C-alpha cells in the first residue's frame, strides 16, 4: 500500500509537466531560435511526442494498481524503442506512403491533442488550478518583458513576438485566468480549495494586456467582469481598461508582422463569400487534401508569403487558417462543430463552475482568431483545463469535504447560481 501511494504521489508531481512545456519551454525555445544563430527551430509537435513516449514508458512500468512490473518492463521498453527508431529513420518513406492521409491527419489534430490530454490525465493525474496560475504567471512575466524590449527596439507591438504569436500566448494566459476564478461548491458538497495567489492573478492580467491581442482583451474583460474576483467596481474598471487597450491597438505603429492579421481578415472575407455563394458547403465542408478555391488579388502575394512562409503559387490550404472555428467549419462542415459544441454545453451545464464558463467563453471568442486545439501548446493547455473543469474527482491536494451547514454559514461564499454574474452563458 505504501508503494502504491508513493507511485501515485510521484505521478501526481509529474502531472504539470505539459504546462511547463507549453508555458515556459516552447516560448523560450522560440526566443532561443531567434537570438542564437546556430539553434535549430523546434518542431511544434516534437515536445509532445517526447512526452507521449515518456508517458508510454511510465505506463509500461506501472499499472493502475501501482505495482511495478520488472519482468516484462524491459522487454516492452525495448520493443517500444525499436519501433520509435524505425519510425524516425523511415519517416520520409512513411510520409510518402501516407501522403494522401496526411492532410486528414492534420485536420484531426484536435482529436489527437484531446486524446493526449485524456491519456496524460489517466496516467499522471491532472494539474491543479494553482499549477495553471503559476505557469501562467511566468508566461505573463515573459510577455511583459518581451513587450518592453520589442517596443523599445521596434517602436511598436509586433503580432509575432520573439516568444510566439500573441494570439496563442494570450490564449494560454486566458486559460490560466479561468483557473484563477473564484471556486464554488461542487455537486455532492465537495469544496474546491482556492488555489493560487493574488500575485499570479495580477501578473496574468498584465500579461494578457501586454499581448495586445484584440480577441483576448475582449474575452478577458468579459470573463473577469462576469466571473472574476473582487467587487463589481473593480471588475468594471478592468473591463474598461481592456476595452481601452483594444482601441489603443488601432493607434499603434504597424510592423512587418502585421501581415498576419491582414491575411486572417482576408481569409475570413473570402470564406464567408464562398459559403454565401454555395451554402451546401456548410454541410459537407471543403476537400481536405486540396487547396482552397481562393484567388489571390494583385499585391497579395507578398503579404501571403510574409505571413505564412509559403509561396502563393501553392495556393491557400486549411493549415494556413489561424482561426479555429473558421478552419473547423471549412474542413468538416457545420454539423460536426455544432454537435461538439452542443455536447460540451451539456457537460458544462451538468458540472456548473466559473472555470468551465470562462473556458467556454475563451473557446467561442478566442477561437475567432487563434488556432486553439490546432496549436499543440494551446490545445494541450485547454484540453487539460476542460478536463479539470469537468472532472468530479480532479486532483486537488487540499480538497476537503465540507458539510452543508458549515459551507452555508460562511460569509464569503454565496450561491453561485443565484448571483447575476453566474447565470449560464
Amino acid at each position: 500500500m505504501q508503494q502504491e501511494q508513493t507511485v501515485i504521489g510521484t505521478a501526481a508531481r509529474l502531472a504539470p509537466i505539459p504546462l511547463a512545456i507549453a508555458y515556459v519551454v516552447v516560448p523560450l525555445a522560440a526566443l532561443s531560435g531567434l537570438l542564437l544563430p546556430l539553434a535549430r527551430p523546434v518542431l511544434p509537435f516534437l515536445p509532445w511526442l517526447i512526452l507521449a513516449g515518456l508517458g508510454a514508458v511510465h505506463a509500461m512500468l506501472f499499472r493502475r494498481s501501482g505495482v511495478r512490473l520488472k519482468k516484462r518492463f524491459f522487454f516492452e521498453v525495448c520493443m517500444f524503442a525499436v519501433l520509435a527508431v524505425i519510425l524516425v529513420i523511415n519517416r520520409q518513406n512513411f510520409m510518402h506512403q501516407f501522403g494522401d492521409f496526411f492532410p486528414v491527419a492534420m485536420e484531426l489534430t484536435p482529436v489527437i491533442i484531446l486524446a493526449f490530454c485524456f491519456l496524460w490525465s489517466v496516467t499522471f493525474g491532472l494539474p491543479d488550478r494553482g499549477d495553471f496560475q503559476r505557469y501562467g504567471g511566468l508566461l505573463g512575466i515573459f510577455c511583459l518583458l518581451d513587450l518592453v524590449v520589442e517596443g523599445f527596439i521596434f517602436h511598436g507591438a509586433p503580432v509575432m513576438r520573439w516568444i510566439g504569436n500573441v494570439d496563442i500566448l494570450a490564449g494560454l494566459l486566458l486559460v490560466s485566468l479561468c483557473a484563477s476564478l473564484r471556486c464554488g461548491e461542487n455537486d455532492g458538497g465537495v469544496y474546491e480549495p482556492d488555489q493560487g495567489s493574488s500575485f499570479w492573478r495580477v501578473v496574468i492580467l498584465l500579461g494578457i494586456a501586454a499581448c495586445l491581442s484584440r480577441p483576448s482583451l475582449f474575452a478577458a474583460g468579459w470573463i473577469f467582469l462576469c466571473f472574476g474576483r473582487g467587487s463589481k467596481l473593480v471588475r468594471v474598471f478592468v473591463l474598461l481598461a481592456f476595452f481601452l487597450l483594444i482601441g489603443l491597438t488601432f493607434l499603434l505603429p504597424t510592423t512587418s508582422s502585421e501581415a498576419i492579421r491582414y491575411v486572417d481578415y482576408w481569409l475570413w472575407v473570402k470564406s464567408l463569400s464562398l459559403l454565401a455563394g454555395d451554402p451546401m458547403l456548410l454541410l459537407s465542408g471543403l476537400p481536405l487534401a486540396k487547396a482552397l478555391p481562393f484567388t489571390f488579388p494583385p499585391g497579395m502575394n507578398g503579404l501571403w508569403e510574409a505571413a505564412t512562409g509559403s509561396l502563393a503559387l501553392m495556393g491557400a490550404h486549411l493549415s494556413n487558417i489561424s482561426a479555429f472555428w473558421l478552419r473547423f467549419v471549412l474542413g468538416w462542415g457545420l454539423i460536426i462543430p455544432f454537435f461538439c459544441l452542443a455536447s460540451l454545453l451539456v457537460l458544462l451545464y451538468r458540472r456548473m463552475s466559473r472555470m468551465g464558463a470562462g473556458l467556454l467563453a475563451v473557446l467561442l471568442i478566442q477561437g475567432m482568431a487563434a488556432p486553439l486545439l490546432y496549436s499543440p501548446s494551446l490545445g494541450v493547455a485547454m484540453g487539460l483545463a476542460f478536463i479539470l473543469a469537468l472532472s468530479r474527482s480532479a486532483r486537488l491536494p487540499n480538497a476537503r469535504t465540507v458539510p452543508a451547514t458549515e459551507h452555508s454559514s460562511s460569509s464569503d461564499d454565496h450561491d453561485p447560481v443565484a448571483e447575476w454574474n453566474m447565470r449560464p452563458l
Side-chain angles (χ1 to χ4, degrees):
M1 181 63 67
Q2 184 176 1
Q3 180 186 5
E4 178 179 351
Q5 293 177 353
T6 302
V7 172
I8 295 176
T10 303
R13 287 193 292 270
L14 298 177
I17 288 182
L19 300 184
I21 299 294
Y23 284 84
V24 178
V25 175
V26 172
L28 292 182
L31 177 63
S32 64
L34 291 175
L35 299 183
L36 300 178
L38 299 180
R40 300 182 61 182
V42 179
L43 298 177
F45 288 93
L46 181 59
W48 311 107
L49 289 174
I50 295 175
L51 279 187
L54 294 177
V57 172
H58 186 277
M60 294 175 191
L61 179 59
F62 299 106
R63 297 302 188 261
R64 294 182 64 88
S65 61
V67 178
R68 179 176 300 187
L69 300 180
K70 296 182 179 180
K71 295 181 180 180
R72 293 165 46 189
F73 169 68
F74 293 103
F75 174 75
E76 292 176 351
V77 169
C78 289
M79 294 299 295
F80 179 76
V82 170
L83 177 61
V85 170
I86 292 175
L87 291 175
V88 171
I89 295 177
N90 299 280
R91 62 184 182 277
Q92 297 295 339
N93 295 332
F94 283 115
M95 292 185 66
H96 179 72
Q97 293 292 331
F98 297 96
D100 296 336
F101 181 72
F102 186 73
V104 179
M106 291 299 297
E107 298 312 309
L108 290 175
T109 300
V111 179
I112 298 173
I113 288 178
L114 291 178
F116 170 84
C117 294
F118 174 76
L119 292 175
W120 185 270
S121 63
V122 170
T123 306
F124 299 101
L126 287 169
D128 56 35
R129 296 170 186 255
D131 295 325
F132 280 96
Q133 294 176 60
R134 283 189 293 272
Y135 288 109
L138 291 176
L139 181 60
I141 294 174
F142 295 160
C143 293
L144 287 170
L145 295 176
D146 181 85
L147 177 64
V148 172
V149 175
E150 293 200 52
F152 177 77
I153 296 176
F154 302 110
H155 303 286
V159 178
M160 284 301 300
R161 304 284 177 85
W162 288 348
I163 58 176
N165 188 306
V166 292
D167 291 326
I168 296 178
L169 297 173
L172 290 169
L173 292 172
L174 284 172
V175 173
S176 297
L177 175 65
C178 294
S180 70
L181 301 175
R182 185 166 64 88
C183 302
E185 184 180 1
N186 292 336
D187 296 335
V190 178
Y191 182 77
E192 297 176 333
D194 191 4
Q195 298 170 325
S197 65
S198 58
F199 173 77
W200 294 126
R201 295 166 193 142
V202 172
V203 173
I204 289 170
L205 289 174
L206 293 177
I208 295 174
C211 289
L212 294 175
S213 171
R214 293 161 191 163
S216 66
L217 291 172
F218 182 83
W222 283 112
I223 290 172
F224 195 80
L225 174 67
C226 297
F227 312 112
R229 300 168 183 268
S231 63
K232 293 181 180 179
L233 181 62
V234 173
R235 288 180 281 171
V236 169
F237 175 78
V238 172
L239 173 68
L240 295 178
F242 281 172
F243 278 22
L244 182 62
L245 285 176
I246 294 176
L248 180 63
T249 58
F250 293 96
L251 304 177
L252 293 175
T254 58
T255 60
S256 58
S257 63
E258 200 73 19
I260 296 177
R261 284 179 176 167
Y262 291 131
V263 168
D264 289 341
Y265 299 153
W266 180 78
L267 287 172
W268 267 104
V269 173
K270 293 292 289 185
S271 300
L272 292 177
S273 62
L274 177 65
L275 295 175
D278 189 3
M280 290 302 297
L281 293 176
L282 289 173
L283 299 178
S284 61
L286 295 173
L288 302 180
K290 296 182 180 179
L292 301 176
F294 297 159
T295 56
F296 294 96
M300 186 69 185
N301 293 353
L303 286 175
W304 180 264
E305 293 173 3
T308 63
S310 60
L311 296 176
L313 295 175
M314 303 299 294
H317 294 77
L318 287 172
S319 58
N320 299 127
I321 299 178
S322 299
F324 171 79
W325 288 113
L326 181 60
R327 182 174 175 178
F328 200 4
V329 172
L330 287 179
W332 300 100
L334 198 60
I335 297 178
I336 294 179
F338 177 80
F339 175 77
C340 294
L341 185 59
S343 302
L344 180 61
L345 287 173
V346 171
L347 292 175
L348 290 175
Y349 183 79
R350 294 181 60 185
R351 176 68 169 80
M352 184 69 68
S353 67
R354 292 179 176 85
M355 182 177 179
L359 289 172
L360 178 62
V362 173
L363 181 66
L364 295 176
I365 299 174
Q366 194 72 2
M368 297 297 178
L372 295 187
L373 298 179
Y374 287 103
S375 171
S377 299
L378 181 53
V380 168
M382 287 200 68
L384 292 175
F386 268 114
I387 295 175
L388 178 62
L390 296 172
S391 176
R392 298 177 184 272
S393 59
R395 183 182 67 86
L396 298 172
N398 299 322
R400 61 185 182 93
T401 303
V402 181
T405 56
E406 178 185 347
H407 187 74
S408 61
S409 63
S410 176
S411 59
D412 295 333
D413 297 323
H414 305 281
D415 182 9
V417 180
E419 296 181 1
W420 69 271
N421 55 4
M422 193 48 203
R423 296 170 184 171
L425 294 178

